[in-house]
Amino acid sequence: NAGVMQNPRHLVRRRGQEARLRCSPMKGHSHVYWYRQLPEEGLKFMVYLQKENIIDESGMPKERFSAEFPKEGPSILRIQQVVRGDSAAYFCASSQRLGQGDSPLHFGNGTRLTVT
Amino acid sequence: DQQVKQNSPSLSVQEGRISILNCDYTNSMFDYFLWYKKYPAEGPTFLISISSIKDKNEDGRFTVFLNKSAKHLSLHIVPSQPGDSAVYFCAASGGGGGADGLTFGKGTHLIIQP
């Protein structure tokens, strides 16, 4: 019974490079969320996707960040031209259906991005 | 503007005693509240939730209380055990945090002393 799988666990990038973070939701889950946690902060919502659709990206920075959840394969969070401020833990979560009360989010173990 | 606030960054409790973690919110549109537990280097794990139409929900050693008029909720853990040492996040949904995504507090680090 695999949970939410994220890879890589740790990612080091130099300033200006691209970072690609992958997330496979739990089996049977079609709703995917990405969250970012900066040091000493709580988790901040970034984007919510269903298969082939971005439903809400109100938490995504306007530039350099993009996300997709293709029909086949994992969800990808892409950060282009990374800067030091992008260093954070990025968590993916999935749920079976919309509605938090009876369908809580299940989180992966995160990808820790370090920009040098 | 923080809509979900956990004002205690850390809390130390003796094993066997009750742990009480507090959370305040400002958005009256929130209709579900959840607690997540997080160990280092792992993702948050869902613990317990409560709907805004209730004032109490219990699951084993964990009980969540909701006071809507005060916009306050609390998580009670009794008796506290060493494995409960973790960071606890309060979260809320229904307030527009991303199509029913969650709005999180900053977390409280609970330390259970033997």
Side-chain angles (χ1 to χ4, degrees):
Chain A
N1 184 21
V4 178
M5 304 299 293
Q6 287 188 251
N7 67 81
R9 289 297 307 273
H10 300 275
L11 182 62
V12 180
R13 285 287 177 265
R14 288 202 201 93
R15 276 182 299 170
Q17 290 185 320
E18 178 180 284
R20 279 194 180 217
L21 290 65
R22 292 174 188 78
C23 168
S24 296
M26 279 183 75
K27 192 174 180 180
H29 286 193
S30 58
H31 302 257
V32 167
Y33 300 76
W34 284 93
Y35 285 81
R36 175 165 66 173
Q37 184 182 24
L38 295 168
E40 309 300 324
E41 296 286 325
L43 286 84
K44 296 278 197 257
F45 166 78
M46 298 182 77
V47 62
Y48 161 51
L49 310 102
Q50 293 181 23
K51 281 284 185 185
E52 299 185 276
N53 286 306
I54 297 174
I55 307 301
D56 186 330
E57 54 182 349
S58 57
M60 289 274 270
K62 293 287 181 275
E63 296 173 352
R64 303 187 298 106
F65 284 72
S66 62
E68 62 177 15
F69 188 17
K71 190 175 178 183
E72 301 290 338
S75 175
I76 307 282
L77 179 68
R78 183 196 297 176
I79 312 171
Q80 295 178 299
Q81 298 175 318
V82 295
V83 301
R84 287 224 172 95
D86 297 334
S87 295
Y90 291 82
F91 290 95
C92 172
S94 71
S95 67
Q96 199 168 32
R97 57 184 178 274
L98 196 60
Q100 293 300 323
D102 58 354
S103 182
L105 299 186
H106 295 264
F107 283 83
N109 283 332
T111 294
R112 273 138 192 90
L113 172 65
T114 303
V115 179
T116 61
Chain B
D1 178 35
Q2 246 193 305
Q3 297 187 66
V4 177
K5 297 178 188 176
Q6 294 177 257
N7 291 320
S8 299
S10 66
L11 175 68
S12 186
V13 174
Q14 235 180 346
E15 183 179 354
R17 302 278 194 145
I18 183 170
S19 296
I20 300 176
L21 295 96
N22 293 303
C23 177
D24 298 293
Y25 63 96
T26 57
N27 190 337
S28 54
M29 299 295 290
F30 287 141
D31 57 8
Y32 249 104
F33 302 90
L34 305 90
W35 285 94
Y36 281 79
K37 175 180 177 179
K38 186 180 181 301
Y39 293 119
E42 293 185 11
T45 304
F46 170 72
L47 205 52
I48 192 169
S49 66
I50 187 167
S51 162
S52 59
I53 63 173
K54 295 187 176 178
D55 54 20
K56 178 182 174 182
N57 188 24
E58 197 171 346
D59 183 2
R61 295 185 299 114
F62 303 92
T63 304
V64 56
F65 295 93
L66 175 63
N67 182 335
K68 276 188 70 176
S69 60
K71 293 194 176 71
H72 176 84
L73 65 153
S74 60
L75 174 68
H76 292 212
I77 307 172
V78 54
S80 300
Q81 297 174 354
D84 296 331
S85 294
V87 177
Y88 289 78
F89 289 100
C90 172
S93 71
D100 251 24
L102 297 172
T103 303
F104 282 86
K106 291 189 177 184
T108 297
H109 185 192
L110 176 64
I111 302 159
I112 304 301
Q113 308 272 12

